[in-house]
C-alpha cells in the first residue's frame, strides 16, 4: 500500500500521472478483505498511540475494560465505546482549551478551527502541522477522484472562518496542484460579485453548499447572467444534505449544466471528504483507508449489515493531534458493498447522508426528515427554491406547515395558480411523508436565502408547551 505508515509520511512531491484515475491505485482498488486486515492493524496502532498520550481515552477505555492489545478483529473494535460531541465539550471544559484528548504538545499546533458555539460552548479543533499535511493529502486524493487535475481552477464559494469545509477544500486543491480561487462568502453583495467572477474566470469546479448554489443561480439570473455561462464542469458540496438527493441534484445540474458530486462528514473528522462520490460513482464512497467508517445501529453501536440503515461512526487512521476514535455522528444513512463504477473497492452510501437523527421530528406518530421535504418540493413545478418548515400544535395535535415561495412567473399568474401550487404541494407531501401537511405559498424572494447552510425548521411546539404551563393547562 502506498505511503501506509503511522504516523503518516507522505512525499509532498508525489502526484500520479494525470491520465490515471487513481491517486493511490493499490490502496483504492485492493480487495476489501485485504484492506480490512491493514485497517485492523492500524486501529491497534492508533489506539495504542492515543492510550499513551490522551488521558481522555485511557480513562474511557479503562472504565469499559477495553485495551488496544485486545483488539484482534473488527468485531472486537465494535466494543470500543463511542465518543460523543458532548464528551468532547466536557473534556475541553475540564482541561481547557483543547481537552485531554490532545495528543501533541500545544507548541506543535498549526491551525485552530472549531464549531460556532451558537448553542453553547464551542468545540476547538487543534490541528498539528503534520496533520494539516495529511488532511491536504487525503482531500487531494478525493478531489482527484472527482476528475480534478493540476492546473484546473477550483472556485471556493463558502466562508473562511472556523468552518473546516472551506479550508479543507483549499489545502486539498493546493496539494493537487490546482489553481485555487478562495473567493469566500458571507459579506453583503458577495453573491453578485461571485457570479461576476465566475463568469470572468470560468473555473472547472465550484465548492460550497447545495443551498448556496441554488441561491447563487438566482442572484446570477437577477444580474442578467445564466449560470451555464460560468463554464463549470463540476460542483461539489458538503455541509448539508442535497448533493445526493435526486431532485435537488438534478435541479442544480440543470441550472449550471455541470455534474454535482456529494461529499463530507464532520469537521471533527477532517479530512472530512472521507465520504465522497467520484466522477463515475454517485452517492458517497467511504474512503476507509484514511477514516474508517462503521455504519451502526444507533442504540447498540454495532455495525449493521450492508444494505441496512444506521448511523456512521468514524475513526481517524492518519491523524495524530486530536485523533477521533469511534466518534458518533448521529447522522442517518444506509450502506452497500456493491461494485463501484469507478473501480474503487470501498463501501458506499448510495443515497448519501440523509441528515441528522437529531433533526428528525415526529408528527402524529410519523418520523419526518427535513431532507425528505426538500426532495419533494424540488420535484414540484412552480416551487421557487426556498421554504420553511413550521411545526406547531393546535389543541392536542401536532401540525406541520410548509411555507414555500413560488417562482416569479407563477406568482404573477394570480390567485388561481397559487392555489393550484398549494394543493399540489399538500398532495405531494401527504404522499411522501404519510402525514397531512398544510402548505402556504408566498412571493418569490420573501423567504431569506443563505450563503451557508440552510436552517429551515421552526419548531413552535416548545412555545405552545410553555404557554400552556404558564396558563396552568
Amino acid at each position: 500500500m502506498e505511503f501506509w505508515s503511522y504516523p503518516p509520511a507522505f512525499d509532498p512531491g508525489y502526484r500520479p500521472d494525470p491520465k490515471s484515475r487513481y491517486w493511490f491505485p493499490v490502496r483504492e482498488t485492493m480487495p476489501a478483505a485485504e484492506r480490512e486486515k491493514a485497517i485492523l492493524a492500524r486501529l491497534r496502532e492508533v489506539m495504542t498511540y492515543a492510550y499513551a498520550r490522551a488521558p481522555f481515552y485511557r480513562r474511557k477505555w479503562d472504565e469499559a475494560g477495553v485495551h488496544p492489545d485486545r483488539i484482534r478483529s473488527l468485531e472486537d473494535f465494535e466494543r470500543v465505546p463511542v465518543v460523543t460531541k458532548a464528551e468532547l465539550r466536557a473534556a475541553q471544559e475540564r482541561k481547557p482549551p483543547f481537552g485531554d484528548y490532545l495528543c501533541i504538545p500545544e507548541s506543535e499546533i498549526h491551525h485552530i478551527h472549531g464549531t460556532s458555539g451558537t448553542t453553547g460552548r464551542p468545540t476547538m479543533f487543534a490541528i498539528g502541522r503534520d496533520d494539516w499535511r495529511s488532511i491536504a493529502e487525503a482531500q487531494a486524493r478525493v478531489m482527484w477522484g472527482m476528475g480534478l487535475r493540476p492546473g484546473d481552477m477550483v472556485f471556493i464559494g463558502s466562508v473562511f472562518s472556523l468552518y473546516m469545509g472551506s479550508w479543507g477544500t483549499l489545502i486539498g486543491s493546493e496539494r493537487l496542484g490546482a489553481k485555487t480561487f478562495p473567493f469566500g462568502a458571507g459579506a453583503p453583495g458577495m453573491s453578485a460579485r461571485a457570479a461576476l467572477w465566475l463568469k470572468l474566470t470560468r473555473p472547472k469546479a465550484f465548492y460550497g453548499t447545495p443551498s448556496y448554489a441554488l441561491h447563487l443561480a438566482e442572484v446570477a439570473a437577477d444580474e442578467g447572467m445564466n449560470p451555464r455561462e460560468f463554464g463549470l464542469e463540476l460542483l461539489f458540496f458538503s455541509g448539508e444534505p442535497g448533493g445526493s438527493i435526486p431532485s435537488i441534484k438534478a435541479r442544480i445540474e440543470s441550472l449550471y449544466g455541470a455534474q454535482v458530486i456529494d461529499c463530507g462528514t464532520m469537521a471533527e473528522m477532517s479530512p472530512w471528504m472521507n465520504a465522497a462520490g467520484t466522477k463515475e460513482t454517485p452517492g458517497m464512497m467511504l474512503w476507509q483507508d484514511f477514516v474508517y467508517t462503521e455504519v451502526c445501529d444507533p442504540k447498540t453501536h454495532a455495525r449493521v449489515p450492508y444494505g441496512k440503515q444506521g448511523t456512521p461512526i468514524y475513526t481517524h487512521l492518519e491523524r495524530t493531534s486530536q485523533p477521533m476514535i469511534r466518534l458518533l455522528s448521529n447522522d442517518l444513512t444506509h450502506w452497500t458493498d456493491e461494485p463501484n463504477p469507478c473501480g474503487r473497492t470501498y463501501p458506499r452510501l448510495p443515497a448519501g447522508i440523509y441528515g441528522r437523527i437529531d433533526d428528525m421530528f415526529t408528527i402524529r406518530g410519523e418520523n419526518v426528515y427535513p431532507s425528505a421535504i426538500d426532495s419533494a418540493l424540488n420535484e414540484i413545478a412552480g416551487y421557487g427554491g426556498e421554504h420553511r418548515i413550521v411545526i406547531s400544535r393546535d389543541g392536542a395535535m401536532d401540525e406541520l406547515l410548509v411555507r414555500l415561495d413560488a417562482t416569479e412567473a407563477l406568482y404573477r399568474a394570480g390567485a388561481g395558480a397559487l392555489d393550484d401550487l398549494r394543493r399540489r404541494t399538500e398532495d405531494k407531501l401527504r404522499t411522501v411523508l404519510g402525514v397531512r401537511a398544510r402548505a402556504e405559498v408566498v412571493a418569490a424572494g420573501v423567504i431569506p436565502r443563505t450563503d451557508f447552510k440552510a436552517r429551515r425548521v421552526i419548531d413552535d411546539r416548545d412555545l405552545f408547551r410553555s404557554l400552556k404551563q404558564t396558563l396552568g393547562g
Side-chain angles (χ1 to χ4, degrees), residues 214 217 226-229 235 246-260 378:
L214 291 168
N226 185 332
R228 288 176 173 255
E229 297 177 57
L235 298 98
S247 58
I248 297 175
K249 182 176 187 285
R251 186 169 176 222
I252 296 172
E253 289 180 333
S254 176
L255 285 167
Y256 287 89
Q259 182 182 13
V260 166
N378 275 278

Side-chain angles (χ1 to χ4, degrees), residues 291-338:
V291 170
Y292 175 58
T293 302
E294 309 160 274
V295 176
C296 296
D297 182 289
K299 294 180 180 177
T300 67
H301 304 143
R303 280 180 298 168
V304 298
Y306 289 118
K308 299 298 183 180
Q309 185 171 275
T311 188
I313 295 175
Y314 302 116
T315 298
H316 280 128
L317 300 182
E318 296 184 339
R319 288 283 304 273
T320 59
S321 44
Q322 282 179 324
M324 293 291 102
I325 301 172
R326 300 210 84 208
L327 178 64
L328 179 65
S329 69
N330 270 330
D331 289 330
L332 189 67
T333 189
H334 77 279
W335 66 345
T336 68
D337 61 347
E338 299 168 355

Side-chain angles (χ1 to χ4, degrees), residues 92 97-98 101 109-117 121-128 131-132 135 159-171 266-270 272 319 321-322:
Q92 293 193 349
F98 304 115
Y101 55 94
I109 293 172
H110 177 56
H111 261 245
I112 297 171
H113 294 269
T115 63
S116 62
R121 179 188 176 93
T123 303
M124 298 187 190
F125 311 147
I127 304 173
D131 274 1
W132 196 249
I135 292 168
V159 294
F160 278 88
S161 59
L162 294 168
Y163 180 56
M164 270 302 294
S166 307
W167 292 97
T169 304
L170 172 70
I171 62 177
M266 302 170 69
E268 290 90 344
M269 292 313 304
S270 291
W272 49 261
R319 288 283 304 273
S321 44
Q322 282 179 324

Side-chain angles (χ1 to χ4, degrees), residues 32 88 109 114 138 155 213 225 262 273 306 400 451 455 465:
L88 298 180
I109 293 172
F155 187 103
M225 288 176 264
D262 197 10
M273 286 186 192
Y306 289 118
L400 177 62
D451 53 11
R455 294 286 184 259
R465 293 187 190 103

Side-chain angles (χ1 to χ4, degrees), residues 143-225:
M143 293 166 71
W144 187 276
M146 294 178 183
L148 293 170
R149 294 295 182 268
D152 291 338
M153 186 185 297
V154 179
F155 187 103
I156 303 175
S158 57
V159 294
F160 278 88
S161 59
L162 294 168
Y163 180 56
M164 270 302 294
S166 307
W167 292 97
T169 304
L170 172 70
I171 62 177
S173 175
E174 290 175 338
R175 172 65 184 92
L176 186 145
K179 291 192 290 284
T180 307
F181 191 167
F183 187 84
M190 205 164 183
S191 296
R193 293 196 296 276
L196 177 60
W197 277 99
L198 284 163
K199 183 178 179 180
L200 292 172
T201 57
R202 295 179 61 82
K204 181 172 182 176
F206 173 92
Y207 167 76
T209 63
S211 54
Y212 182 55
L214 291 168
H215 172 54
L216 182 60
E218 290 183 352
V219 172
D222 291 343
E223 296 292 320
M225 288 176 264

Side-chain angles (χ1 to χ4, degrees), residues 146 236-238 240 242-244 260-264 275-277 283-284 351-353:
M146 294 178 183
F236 60 106
F237 301 131
S238 72
E240 62 186 14
S244 292
V260 166
I261 294 179
D262 197 10
C263 65
M284 301 167 79
I353 293 172

